[in-house]
Amino acid sequence: MPEAKKPVFVGGGNGNPVPTQDEVEHGKDLARRYRCEFVDLKNFHIQHDLFRKIKVDLMFRYNFVPLEEKPDGRLVVAIADPSQLMMVDEIGLLLGRRIVTKVATLSQISDVLKKTEQSQRVLEEAGENFALDVITEDENPDETISIEKLTGETDQSPIIRLVDTTIFTALQRRASDIHIETRDDSVVIKYRIDGVLQQAMQPIAKDHHSTIISRIKVMSELDISERRVPQDGRFRVRYNARSIDFRVSIMPSIHGEDAVLRVLDKESMSEKFHKLTLDVVGFSDDDLRKFRRYIKEPYGMVLVTGPTGSGKTTTLYAALNEIKADEDKFITIEDPVEYQIRGITQIPVNEKKGLTFARGLRSILRHDPDKIMVGEIRDTETAQIAINAALTGHLVFTTVHANNVVDVLGRFLNMGVEAYNFVSSLNCILAQRLVRLICEFCKKEVHYSAEELEASGLNPQEWAKIPFYEGDGCIECSGTGYRGRSAIHELLELTDNVREMILAKRPSSEIRRAARDEGMHFLRESALDRVKKGLTTLKEINKVTFIETTR
């Protein structure tokens, strides 16, 4: 059978291959010549159930995409070259179905095959009929992972193939973490995508739990025999010609050991962070103008607060990128240093060796810095040193865990720091959260009833003419309706009035009212602004922010 010509790809805005105009016209000509319909797979709603019925290696071998199943049992598929009649007959013979052909560009077919649940099918196939092979300890952790390797003929142990495929699929689907959870009768694998856990495959039989965890321990150079205490490690894989690190946490539970693998794509993210600015973080125009003013102050403390995984470090990196200059010395201390920024001295915390935030910060102050970033303030000693650094002529960027900007004040005061010194050192406090963005490929307008709007704390009359949007779920967003995230913010300026109220130990509710009167916008208002702009959904912001019932 003649080999199909390789299409010319041009980069799309989202990094996906886009068919050239010539390729599209060629596909339409072929469709007319062979009296087939031409389909644009970018906007075609794929039936995911069909992919589960057809072997993934078959689709890759013949380069076809199943589109729909007719009531009479015929299967509609998209192929690039309808002149390959023998290939169509072979597909029908192997599937035992009558085939109806439609024409699509080869680049779109390849793109769909890579993005759909093809790796999930490999996962499910790998999860069936496991042979419990011995896991050798000389496996190379810096190995190349590719779909060709995972779907081709191989002598790999099914367990190794399962773990490798799990990692490959996570990278394909933009996952930030891989969770392997042990239950009383099964093992469940989940991916965290855009901050939300999604099940990667059907549960695996509990019999294979120990070998899966052992494989991960071997890759991470951890103790296979130790199963009663937590273990932390890391390993590296090569994917798409770049190295990707994984930070591994093994935790014993009542049903066995659980594992979480954090994806650290340093090479890709370092390139993104090299060009990162505050413009892309998600600030409103007013808050962006204010925040830029505070990060350019000669000294003081810029404090960012929010829960784990709310993008605090990314915001601080964007701020450092904007103000870094050759005439200033920038030093950071982080736990860990996840992404490197050119031109900045970055120090990783190493508590086993005695390098804590407090000890590292003391050393930094003897290193003649101008700007300092402290990854997180966790204790009184670190807080005191950071405040003193801000008071003695340094600009200090740092984060702390608190629910909102007003709670930060109580958190520091409860640590035992001197209220006057703390308030004097502060330039501003920024609280932030991440909300998922509606997928642009399946975005549609929706209508909410007056009861639903009232339940979300909204006035139905005020919001009656404002359109709401949701994602229908498509191949680009894996059926979730969301793709990507953006930050929402609230920024507290330390005006003279706010400083005096803090020193007078006024209730936080009074401080919030005073800040609102002075023009501060809260997280809920920032989230509602994203809804008005059609960027996110009402359901998403209700999950991330508190509903204010009194307007």
Side-chain angles (χ1 to χ4, degrees):
M1 187 165 45
E3 199 171 308
K5 290 184 179 179
K6 204 170 185 179
V8 178
F9 291 160
V10 294
N14 57 358
N16 300 327
V18 175
T20 61
Q21 191 62 34
D22 289 344
E23 193 188 0
V24 172
E25 289 304 320
H26 178 63
K28 288 180 177 177
D29 286 342
L30 280 174
R32 280 193 295 269
R33 191 183 311 161
Y34 290 93
R35 297 180 182 181
C36 299
E37 182 184 341
F38 181 82
V39 289
D40 183 359
L41 295 183
K42 182 62 79 175
N43 301 313
F44 199 91
H45 285 278
I46 302 297
Q47 296 182 20
H48 292 282
D49 288 344
L50 280 178
F51 282 84
R52 302 179 192 280
K53 297 178 182 177
I54 300 171
K55 284 185 175 292
V56 63
D57 58 343
L58 203 65
M59 291 187 278
F60 274 97
R61 192 186 314 154
Y62 292 105
N63 272 324
F64 75 91
V65 173
L67 299 178
E68 62 176 312
E69 210 169 9
K70 296 284 188 183
D72 59 6
R74 290 180 299 163
L75 181 68
V76 182
V77 302
I79 60 175
D81 187 358
S83 68
Q84 301 282 350
L85 299 177
M86 288 182 64
M87 182 187 78
V88 175
D89 289 341
E90 278 185 50
I91 295 172
L93 199 64
L94 290 168
L95 294 178
R97 312 281 287 276
R98 287 175 59 201
I99 301 296
V100 178
T101 56
K102 293 187 178 182
V103 179
T105 64
L106 185 59
S107 60
Q108 283 192 339
I109 290 173
S110 300
D111 193 33
V112 167
L113 288 176
K114 287 176 184 175
K115 282 187 173 178
T116 54
E117 308 298 320
Q118 93 282 358
S119 295
Q120 181 171 330
R121 289 293 302 126
V122 176
L123 280 173
E124 289 171 356
E125 289 169 8
E128 295 167 3
N129 304 319
F130 269 167
L132 294 179
D133 295 345
V134 177
I135 305 299
T136 57
E137 295 197 30
D138 58 354
E139 292 293 334
N140 180 10
D142 194 12
E143 57 190 337
T144 301
I145 291 183
S146 67
I147 191 63
E148 289 78 13
K149 175 181 174 182
L150 297 171
T151 57
E153 293 299 324
T154 176
D155 293 332
Q156 274 187 336
S157 153
I159 293 289
I160 295 175
R161 189 162 176 252
L162 172 69
V163 173
D164 288 355
T165 308
T166 301
I167 293 167
F168 174 83
T169 313
L171 298 174
Q172 286 281 92
R173 295 177 63 180
R174 305 176 295 109
S176 61
D177 302 84
I178 303 169
H179 288 241
I180 300 173
E181 300 175 356
T182 313
R183 298 180 179 172
D184 56 345
D185 60 348
S186 61
V187 179
V188 177
I189 298 177
K190 297 178 180 178
Y191 297 138
R192 187 177 293 281
I193 303 172
D194 292 333
V196 177
L197 286 175
Q198 300 175 18
Q199 194 159 311
M201 57 181 288
Q202 293 300 315
I204 300 170
K206 182 71 177 290
D207 299 345
H208 314 300
H209 163 257
S210 60
T211 42
I212 292 171
I213 297 296
S214 293
R215 168 62 179 161
I216 293 170
K217 285 181 178 178
V218 167
M219 296 172 77
S220 313
E221 298 181 348
L222 299 177
D223 185 355
I224 297 177
S225 61
E226 181 55 76
R227 300 179 181 180
R228 294 164 295 179
V229 297
Q231 295 189 70
D232 296 312
R234 59 176 58 234
F235 65 89
R236 175 177 296 170
V237 300
R238 192 165 298 281
Y239 168 74
N240 280 355
R242 69 177 189 268
S243 295
I244 298 175
D245 288 336
F246 287 80
R247 200 168 68 222
V248 179
S249 172
I250 307 289
M251 184 74 66
S253 69
I254 56 171
H255 298 301
E257 291 177 297
D258 285 9
V260 174
L261 286 65
R262 165 66 59 89
V263 182
L264 301 175
D265 190 355
K266 290 187 179 181
E267 291 182 23
S268 172
M269 292 307 295
S270 293
E271 180 61 28
K272 289 177 186 174
F273 280 8
H274 180 64
K275 303 170 184 174
L276 184 67
T277 65
L278 291 170
D279 292 308
V280 299
V281 173
F283 281 99
S284 65
D285 293 339
D286 189 41
D287 283 347
L288 180 59
R289 178 180 51 78
K290 292 176 183 175
F291 191 63
R292 276 191 167 132
R293 187 174 79 240
Y294 289 120
I295 66 173
K296 291 175 182 175
E297 296 283 2
Y299 56 84
M301 181 183 287
V302 174
L303 195 57
V304 182
T305 184
T308 302
S310 60
K312 301 186 295 293
T313 305
T314 303
T315 299
L316 288 182
Y317 279 158
L320 291 177
N321 253 343
E322 289 206 359
I323 65 170
K324 69 178 182 181
D326 290 339
E327 59 262 28
D328 287 330
K329 177 77 170 183
F330 286 77
I331 306 180
T332 76
I333 180 163
E334 306 167 60
D335 183 22
V337 177
E338 294 190 357
Y339 308 111
Q340 289 104 36
I341 305 178
R342 188 182 297 276
I344 292 179
T345 303
Q346 295 174 274
I347 304 167
V349 165
N350 190 339
E351 294 191 357
K352 289 180 181 177
K353 300 292 184 181
L355 179 55
T356 61
F357 275 114
R359 186 172 177 182
L361 191 49
R362 277 202 198 89
S363 299
I364 287 172
L365 292 174
R366 294 192 291 271
H367 213 69
D368 189 27
D370 297 290
K371 312 286 193 292
I372 302 168
M373 180 179 130
V374 183
E376 184 185 344
I377 290 181
R378 297 174 178 170
D379 52 60
T380 305
E381 188 179 8
T382 308
Q384 293 281 16
I385 300 168
I387 290 167
N388 289 337
L391 291 171
T392 53
H394 303 91
L395 184 61
V396 179
F397 296 86
T398 189
T399 72
V400 69
H401 286 225
N403 288 327
N404 54 56
V405 291
V406 179
D407 288 351
V408 171
L409 305 171
R411 177 84 191 273
F412 269 84
L413 297 178
N414 287 337
M415 281 185 186
V417 301
E418 184 65 40
Y420 181 80
N421 287 341
F422 174 56
V423 171
S424 301
S425 68
L426 272 178
N427 290 354
C428 68
I429 305 174
L430 178 76
Q432 83 173 41
R433 301 285 189 279
L434 293 177
V435 293
R436 291 182 292 171
L437 298 174
I438 302 170
C439 174
E440 288 296 327
F441 296 95
C442 60
K443 186 176 180 179
K444 66 172 186 178
E445 190 171 338
V446 294
H447 175 74
Y448 293 121
S449 66
E451 291 78 13
E452 288 175 308
L453 294 177
E454 287 174 357
S456 299
L458 306 180
N459 185 330
Q461 293 178 339
E462 291 179 11
W463 288 77
K465 295 182 179 179
I466 296 174
F468 293 92
Y469 297 92
E470 288 184 5
D472 208 18
C474 68
I475 200 166
E476 295 288 338
C477 59
S478 299
T480 62
Y482 298 97
R483 184 176 173 85
R485 289 189 290 176
S486 178
I488 56 173
H489 302 91
E490 62 182 21
L491 181 68
L492 177 65
E493 299 182 271
L494 272 294
T495 61
D496 291 340
N497 183 34
V498 171
R499 290 180 199 272
E500 287 169 9
M501 293 181 74
I502 296 169
L503 291 174
K505 296 185 178 178
R506 305 300 300 168
S508 59
S509 57
E510 286 187 26
I511 298 175
R512 283 179 68 85
R513 275 197 296 271
R516 184 188 287 276
D517 293 341
E518 293 177 2
M520 175 179 163
H521 298 286
F522 294 110
L523 281 170
R524 182 68 178 180
E525 293 165 331
S526 177
L528 288 171
D529 182 60
R530 301 294 188 281
V531 174
K532 282 182 181 176
K533 291 178 179 177
L535 298 176
T536 190
T537 66
L538 197 57
K539 294 174 185 174
E540 176 69 6
I541 69 162
N542 286 345
K543 191 174 74 171
V544 174
T545 62
F546 288 105
I547 296 172
E548 297 174 4
T549 52
T550 56
R551 304 298 298 162

